[in-house]
């Protein structure tokens, strides 16, 4: 536990704090144009994990120009960095993911599938928004801290390759959070949300199994070959039979990353990439051990050699109660954005288009954007599991919360082109501005109210880690898989560059692309005003 000296905190009166919060909100409103530009610019880059070169260069340039000290290449990852400003305690880390989704290229504001570049990646998760939120919040707060002489150190950092859960455990292992007092993370959502405790998500190990055999002519002398692809297929068969005997909370899925070269050559090399998920570290570890044994059996049956490597990992998440409670008070104070009729028309048309919400399938009006705040999230009593996020590894090393902010459309599939539609439109711009207010207000509270961080560590020590101790999945010799997604970006980046946003010529990315907001297909229904 870092030593947090509350004596360093500059105490302010309640009246003074209210005045400072009002000033922060006003300053963030004044930054709406720069916020919009950041949201749109990062959206236009659309880079996949470990290849976020343009995104990281763009963000670090902004932060460096504003007085932050930049360290690049954290944990040996070329697109990872830290940006530090301030001095003294508390040290607060502020992070958000920056990577995109394969095949998620999509024109913003268009309520049907219409890629910017066919087959290219894009922000089908909405990771273009979080760092824009963080930069907006900390620049407003920095201005206030300088004037008021508030001690504290702000450290911004990116979640690189989050879709591969591939970096944050390395950040922890290599000591980037050892002197941090608290961490605020941000992630796009369709409402404001913060929770504490176990949120019901799964832990995960991402592991690639590779088999090496011997090539031969597939027709002339197949008996002389040892098929690595046979080993992959036998492993998959073995794992799928194994599912019958696994607990229902598990999630496991795979893709064949190398299936050989051509049918007439017995494949001498083949690989399969697994995600293995469950609700606790021991259960995930058991799945991992079982998968290794099944892979060894497949190698034994085919006379091939098997190797494996971890590509990523994440613990189940556990968020901090005192920080979450402080943040939720600021969520209530800020409230949801005021959505326009155009915003709601787009949202409802997209919901109808992908037919993912029950109301849409029954022919009733789609729900549109959220107009009522969600409640403070409390620990789950039971969960059947689900997705994973490597912010979890940080939550088990320093008191952490995730601020989920409204910039996406409810009821969409996730990891999908439809989730990119709102992410460079007024919906995202408004949501990021509102989220920046909540984050800046919460950061200010943490700077002037030492009891928040003190209580956060009490909860961390006496509740969260009392009976559960963090054991990393990665070892001291494991290395980040920085080569992932290289070929995809090499294929699509030249064409994607033609569509990078130019804020010196266009007010918005919608304007640059010539998109009327919102754009509906002629056969799509325009919701009536009374529907929302």
């Amino acid at each position: 536990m870092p030593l947090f000296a509350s004596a360093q905190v500059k105490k302010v009166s309640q009246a003074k704090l209210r005045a400072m919060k009002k000033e922060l909100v006003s300053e963030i409103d004044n930054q709406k144009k720069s916020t919009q530009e950041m949201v749109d610019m990062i959206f236009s880059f659309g880079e996949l994990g470990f290849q976020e070169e343009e995104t990281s260069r763009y963000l670090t340039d902004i932060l460096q120009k504003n007085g932050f000290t930049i360290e690049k290449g954290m944990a040996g990852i070329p697109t990872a960095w830290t940006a530090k400003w301030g001095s003294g305690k508390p040290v607060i880390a502020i992070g958000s993911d920056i990577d995109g989704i394969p095949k998620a290229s999509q024109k913003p504001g268009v309520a049907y599938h219409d890629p910017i570049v066919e087959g290219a990646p894009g922000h089908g998760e909405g990771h273009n928004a979080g760092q824009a939120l963080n930069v907006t919040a900390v620049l407003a707060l920095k201005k206030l801290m300088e004037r008021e002489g508030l001690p504290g150190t702000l450290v911004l950092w990116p979640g690189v390759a989050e879709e591969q859960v591939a970096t944050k455990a390395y950040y922890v292992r290599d000591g980037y959070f050892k002197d941090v007092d608290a961490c605020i993370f941000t992630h796009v959502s369709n409402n404001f949300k913060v929770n504490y405790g176990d949120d019901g998500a799964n832990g995960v190990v991402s592991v690639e199994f590779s088999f090496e055999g011997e090539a031969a002519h597939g027709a002339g002398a197949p008996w002389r070959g040892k098929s690595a692809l046979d080993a992959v297929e036998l492993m998959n068969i073995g794992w799928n039979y194994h599912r019958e005997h696994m607990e229902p909370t598990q999630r496991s899925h795979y893709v064949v990353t190398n299936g050989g070269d051509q049918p007439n050559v017995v494949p001498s090399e083949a690989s399969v990439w697994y995600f293995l998920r469950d609700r606790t570290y021991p259960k995930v570890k058991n799945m991992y051990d079982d998968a290794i044994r099944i892979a060894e059996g497949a190698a034994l049956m085919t006379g091939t050699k098997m190797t494996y490597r971890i590509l990523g990992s994440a613990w189940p998440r556990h968020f901090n109660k005192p920080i979450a409670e402080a943040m939720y008070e600021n969520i209530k104070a800020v409230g949801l954005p005021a959505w326009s009729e155009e915003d709601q028309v787009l949202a409802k048309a997209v919901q109808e288009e992908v037919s993912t919400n029950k109301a849409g399938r029954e022919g009733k009006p789609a729900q549109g954007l959220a107009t009522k705040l969600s409640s403070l999230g409390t620990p789950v009593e039971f969960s059947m599991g689900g997705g994973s996020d490597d912010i979890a590894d940080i939550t088990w090393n320093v008191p952490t919360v995730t601020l989920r902010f409204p910039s996406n459309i409810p009821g969409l599939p996730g990891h999908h082109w439809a989730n990119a539609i709102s992410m460079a439109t007024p919906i995202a711009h408004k949501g990021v501005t509102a989220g920046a207010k909540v984050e800046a207000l919460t950061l200010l509270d943490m700077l002037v109210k030492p009891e928040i961080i003190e209580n956060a560590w009490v909860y961390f020590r006496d509740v969260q880690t009392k009976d559960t101790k963090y054991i990393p999945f990665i070892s001291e010799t494991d290395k980040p898989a920085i080569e992932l997604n290289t070929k995809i970006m090499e294929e699509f980046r030249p064409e994607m560059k033609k569509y990078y946003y130019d804020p010196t010529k266009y007010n918005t990315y919608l304007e640059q692309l010539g998109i009327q907001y919102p754009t509906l297909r002629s056969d799509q229904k325009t919701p009536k005003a009374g529907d929302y």
Side-chain angles (χ1 to χ4, degrees), residues 165-174 205 281 288 310-314 393 470-480:
V165 288
T167 58
K168 297 186 185 78
Y170 290 99
Y171 298 167
V172 170
R173 185 195 70 180
D174 293 351
V205 166
Y281 168 82
Y288 180 41
I310 289 179
L311 299 182
S313 66
D393 289 72
Y470 176 74
I471 304 171
F473 286 106
I474 62 170
S475 71
E476 291 298 319
T477 58
D478 286 322
K479 296 181 180 180

Side-chain angles (χ1 to χ4, degrees), residues 350-429:
V350 174
Q351 289 168 342
E352 295 282 359
E353 179 73 9
V354 297
S355 298
T356 57
N357 65 85
K358 186 176 180 181
R361 287 197 298 271
E362 292 178 351
K364 298 177 182 178
Q367 66 190 65
L369 299 169
T371 56
K372 181 181 178 181
L373 279 177
S374 60
S375 59
L376 173 65
T378 56
V380 299
E381 294 184 6
F382 175 77
S383 171
M384 287 296 292
S388 312
D389 190 333
D390 54 354
I391 187 59
D393 289 72
I394 294 170
T395 72
W396 286 98
N397 285 273
V398 62
T400 302
V401 298
T402 292
L403 168 63
R404 296 189 176 272
F405 59 93
S407 288
N408 219 310
I409 298 169
L412 303 187
H415 291 183
H416 191 267
W417 55 263
N419 291 78
I421 289 174
S422 69
M423 292 311 305
T425 72
I427 296 173
H429 304 152

Side-chain angles (χ1 to χ4, degrees), residues 200-204 249-251 253 277-279 383-388:
N202 277 341
V204 63
T249 51
Q250 73 84 25
R251 300 284 191 279
H253 23 270
R277 311 183 198 242
D278 213 321
R279 290 281 294 119
S383 171
M384 287 296 292
S388 312

Side-chain angles (χ1 to χ4, degrees), residues 479-505:
K479 296 181 180 180
I482 60 175
E483 78 284 357
L484 289 178
N485 298 314
T486 301
K487 291 182 179 179
I488 298 174
M489 290 307 302
E490 286 177 348
E491 177 184 357
F492 288 106
R493 194 187 294 275
E495 188 65 19
M496 292 168 68
K497 279 185 175 181
K498 299 176 184 178
Y499 298 95
Y500 287 174
Y501 175 43
D502 185 352
T504 66
K505 295 181 179 179

